[in-house]
Amino acid sequence: MKEIDFTKCRRILGKAYSGANGKKIAVEYEGEVYMLKFPPSAANKPTELSYTNSCFSENIASSIFRMLGIKAQKTLLGTFHVSGKTKVVCACKDFTSDGKILYDFCSIKNTIIDSEHGGTGTELSDIIESIEKQQFVNPVTLKEHFWNVFVVDAFLGNFDRHNGNWGFLYDTISQCTEIAPVFDCGSCLLPQADENTMERVLHDENEMNARIFQFPTSIIKENGRKINYYDFLIKGLYEGCNDALLRIVPKINMDEICEFIEDVPYLSDLQHIFYQTYITERWKKLILPAYERIR
């Protein structure tokens, strides 16, 4: 992968983006609109990082979604010079640049007027009910997409797939609605892990296992408690989730994923090894056992 400097790209001042994690600006790169995501500060976290690794997490996770055949936002890593500092940023292709409108699932959930729950609620039963009752896209297709993303988020350790970072695209001209590409994956792959944490996880099996079997958890809740990915998958109580495992797991090529990570720019040698090892361990200890039990 080539190294890209976004500093001199034309700034698009008529675009602005919401979200709490880091600064965001719109630029034009090779004739297309990208949202540059700057890493949020980790200054108030118990870590030696001055900025989180969320830009790396965003790029790696989005790329893996695409490797598995799930439509996801195109991402590029590059640098941006500001205030005498050089920062690694993640450029996310703007899938609304052609005039389509993004409606997040929180907004869609608010259209279910016979539900007692609001748009932000992440109780699983409520999400499934809203998927079945919404009238924007085919409910069967949407439920399949939801479980596909859930399984890959489990694989990548995403702790923040809330109702505001997935949804639909509406074309105002054709008046058609489609499922938006997967986006906002910066909460995958332990973005707040500094080098000391990475070394500890790599060399202590208990530390590694804690980050597979105990945390991160899903932000989605079951009976008021955040879902533990391992417990949830291994129990296999939801047919839609089991079907997603059967669809997704055969597409996972760990050699291809590790080769991709080896080529990710701006990573230190330690980071290359850490991401390759962490993903491989989640595959072996979390995803494969659940898949084998169902199969």
Side-chain angles (χ1 to χ4, degrees):
M1 299 180 188
K2 66 178 181 179
E3 296 188 1
I4 306 168
D5 184 355
F6 292 107
T7 310
K8 295 183 179 180
C9 289
R10 183 175 72 88
R11 179 93 174 260
I12 301 175
L13 300 178
K15 295 281 289 186
Y17 305 100
S18 61
N21 293 323
K23 306 293 185 180
K24 305 174 183 71
I25 62 172
V27 300
E28 181 182 336
Y29 176 71
E30 294 188 342
E32 296 182 311
V33 179
Y34 282 83
M35 174 181 65
L36 289 191
K37 296 183 76 170
F38 292 76
S41 172
N44 296 322
K45 303 290 194 308
T47 173
E48 292 188 2
L49 293 174
S50 56
Y51 293 94
T52 74
N53 290 316
S54 59
C55 288
F56 297 128
S57 297
E58 185 93 47
N59 176 253
I60 295 172
S62 296
S63 300
I64 290 174
F65 267 102
R66 294 197 301 276
M67 288 180 189
L68 300 181
I70 297 175
K71 191 175 179 182
Q73 191 173 37
K74 179 183 177 181
T75 58
L76 301 167
L77 287 176
T79 55
F80 195 93
H81 307 283
V82 58
S83 302
K85 297 180 180 180
T86 300
K87 296 182 179 180
V88 176
V89 297
C90 185
C92 305
K93 187 176 178 182
D94 188 333
F95 46 70
T96 66
S97 60
D98 58 358
K100 293 179 181 176
I101 301 173
L102 173 65
Y103 290 107
D104 59 31
F105 188 67
C106 180
S107 303
I108 303 305
K109 224 165 152 282
N110 278 332
T111 68
I112 313 301
I113 57 177
D114 61 346
S115 172
E116 296 180 358
H117 305 281
T120 59
T122 56
E123 184 69 30
L124 178 59
S125 59
D126 183 35
I127 290 174
I128 297 300
E129 179 189 27
S130 297
I131 288 174
E132 293 172 345
K133 289 184 175 181
Q134 58 78 36
Q135 300 179 350
F136 291 81
V137 297
N138 183 292
V140 174
T141 302
L142 183 60
K143 189 183 294 187
E144 181 176 300
H145 172 75
F146 169 80
W147 284 119
N148 285 346
V149 173
F150 182 90
V151 167
V152 181
D153 278 341
F155 177 37
L156 301 176
N158 191 343
F159 59 83
D160 198 32
R161 183 72 67 193
H162 53 76
N163 296 339
N165 59 15
W166 70 284
F168 308 149
L169 290 177
Y170 177 69
D171 190 319
T172 57
I173 297 176
S174 67
Q175 296 187 339
C176 293
T177 308
E178 60 183 304
I179 299 172
V182 174
F183 63 98
D184 202 359
C185 297
S187 296
C188 297
L189 304 173
L190 304 179
Q192 296 175 4
D194 58 18
E195 289 196 353
N196 287 335
T197 301
M198 290 183 179
E199 290 279 10
R200 197 165 63 250
V201 171
L202 287 173
H203 295 102
D204 187 330
E205 186 175 3
N206 290 330
E207 292 280 355
M208 176 67 79
N209 286 342
R211 288 162 178 80
I212 294 173
F213 299 119
Q214 297 176 27
F215 62 91
T217 59
S218 172
I219 200 170
I220 297 172
K221 297 177 180 179
E222 189 178 29
N223 299 320
R225 298 184 64 180
K226 290 183 179 181
I227 289 173
N228 175 291
Y229 280 125
Y230 177 80
D231 291 343
F232 186 89
L233 293 179
I234 209 69
K235 288 177 182 176
L237 299 180
Y238 289 81
E239 182 179 357
C241 185
N242 294 341
D243 289 343
L245 278 166
L246 295 175
R247 285 191 298 269
I248 297 298
V249 174
K251 298 178 182 179
I252 298 177
N253 184 324
M254 289 307 304
D255 289 337
E256 180 186 9
I257 289 173
C258 288
E259 287 175 8
F260 160 75
I261 293 173
E262 188 64 34
D263 289 335
V264 173
Y266 309 108
L267 294 179
S268 66
D269 291 342
L270 174 61
Q271 287 173 311
H272 279 120
I273 294 171
F274 174 78
Y275 289 125
Q276 290 169 327
T277 305
Y278 183 57
I279 290 177
T280 300
E281 289 299 297
R282 290 189 72 86
W283 156 251
K284 289 180 180 178
K285 296 180 178 180
L286 192 156
I287 299 298
L288 266 185
Y291 174 73
E292 293 293 347
R293 186 198 59 77
I294 295 168
R295 195 178 65 164

